[in-house]
Amino acid sequence: MWNSLRIAAISSVIVFFSGIFLAYYAARLPRAVKCIMDVVLTLPMVLPPTVCGYFLLVAFSPRRVLGSFLAAHGIRFVMSWYGGILAAVVVAYPLMYRTARGAFESFDENLAYSGQTLGLSNIYIFWRIRMPACRQGILAGVVLAFARALGEYGATTMLIGYTPGRTATISTTVYQLWRTGDDSGAFFWVMVNLAISVAVLLVVNLMERRQKEQKRLWA
């Protein structure tokens, strides 16, 4: 469980910052460039997770140029728990990117223009005006990315395998326990995963309800 939570949490942080950064600039690109960028960044969402894991395995294998270069500097993604972070980022990134881009595209740019006329910096406008206005879409992207990373199996199995105490996650443990006939153990971890997912969704719902109440008070 600890391995799954840290992989999901770290990958969600990476996906959050990189996702809003690229989504912000993608929303401002010409349509043709945006289309190409969308295809590249959201391709893992339509590819089977095992295919994504295969590409990662080929790219970061110690027998390949990139993998051997990283291994020479003490970085090894294959059969290591932090390789699970890489796999989770790849499969969860499209969810964050698409929802964040949609939120940025629906933002009223007149608010940003008003801030510029007041002499506010672009950084201030982004974090204090644009992000709060797009908070619902951003929050939805983070939750979806975390849930996707927490339940990732295909790409994770291809890249880091299953080693108890090292690379095992909840998803891979469920499969291994089921494969060995331990149905009670598999069911236990299924319920653990379900409980974590429900808790995350409940927190999000509470945050959304609080935000609606605040808007109602201000109105």
Side-chain angles (χ1 to χ4, degrees):
M1 183 172 64
W2 163 242
N3 207 28
S4 296
L5 289 175
R6 65 177 176 178
I7 288 175
I10 296 173
S11 61
S12 296
V13 173
I14 297 173
V15 165
F16 170 76
F17 286 103
S18 61
I20 62 174
F21 175 78
L22 290 181
Y24 172 71
Y25 285 101
R28 309 163 74 89
L29 292 174
R31 181 173 299 179
V33 180
K34 185 191 300 184
C35 181
I36 297 174
M37 190 172 180
D38 283 347
V39 171
V40 174
L41 295 179
T42 60
L43 190 60
M45 188 166 60
V46 296
L47 286 175
T50 51
V51 174
C52 296
Y54 173 78
F55 284 129
L56 291 174
L57 183 61
V58 170
F60 292 96
S61 172
R63 298 181 180 180
R64 304 290 179 172
V65 177
L66 179 59
S68 61
F69 173 79
L70 294 175
H73 292 79
I75 303 174
R76 187 184 181 93
F77 288 106
V78 179
M79 298 302 295
S80 63
W81 75 268
Y82 47 88
I85 298 175
L86 178 63
V89 167
V90 170
V91 299
Y93 185 85
L95 297 173
M96 181 66 201
Y97 167 76
R98 297 290 293 192
T99 53
R101 203 202 71 185
F104 287 142
E105 289 178 342
S106 63
F107 175 75
D108 185 1
E109 290 295 335
N110 290 324
L111 297 176
Y113 299 149
S114 299
Q116 291 175 353
T117 59
L118 296 174
L120 302 177
S121 65
N122 290 332
I123 296 178
Y124 183 94
I125 293 173
F126 180 82
W127 289 108
R128 302 300 297 273
I129 299 177
R130 190 181 301 271
M131 285 293 288
C134 301
R135 179 165 50 187
Q136 291 300 320
I138 300 298
L139 182 61
V142 172
V143 173
L144 289 173
F146 179 84
R148 183 67 183 86
L150 185 64
E152 164 54 29
Y153 173 77
T156 301
T157 303
M158 292 290 292
L159 188 62
I160 68 175
Y162 173 80
T163 304
R166 291 183 55 194
T167 65
T169 63
I170 293 177
S171 299
T172 57
T173 300
V174 169
Y175 175 76
Q176 291 296 328
L177 292 176
W178 170 82
R179 189 175 64 86
T180 57
D182 188 357
D183 291 338
S184 60
F187 180 77
F188 169 78
W189 286 110
V190 167
M191 297 306 296
V192 169
N193 199 346
L194 180 62
I196 296 174
S197 301
V198 170
V200 171
L201 293 177
L202 288 176
V203 171
V204 172
N205 290 335
L206 290 175
M207 293 176 64
E208 290 180 347
R209 183 179 302 176
R210 180 175 299 179
Q211 183 180 8
K212 291 179 180 179
E213 292 177 353
Q214 291 177 351
K215 287 183 178 180
R216 190 180 300 112
L217 291 175
W218 283 104

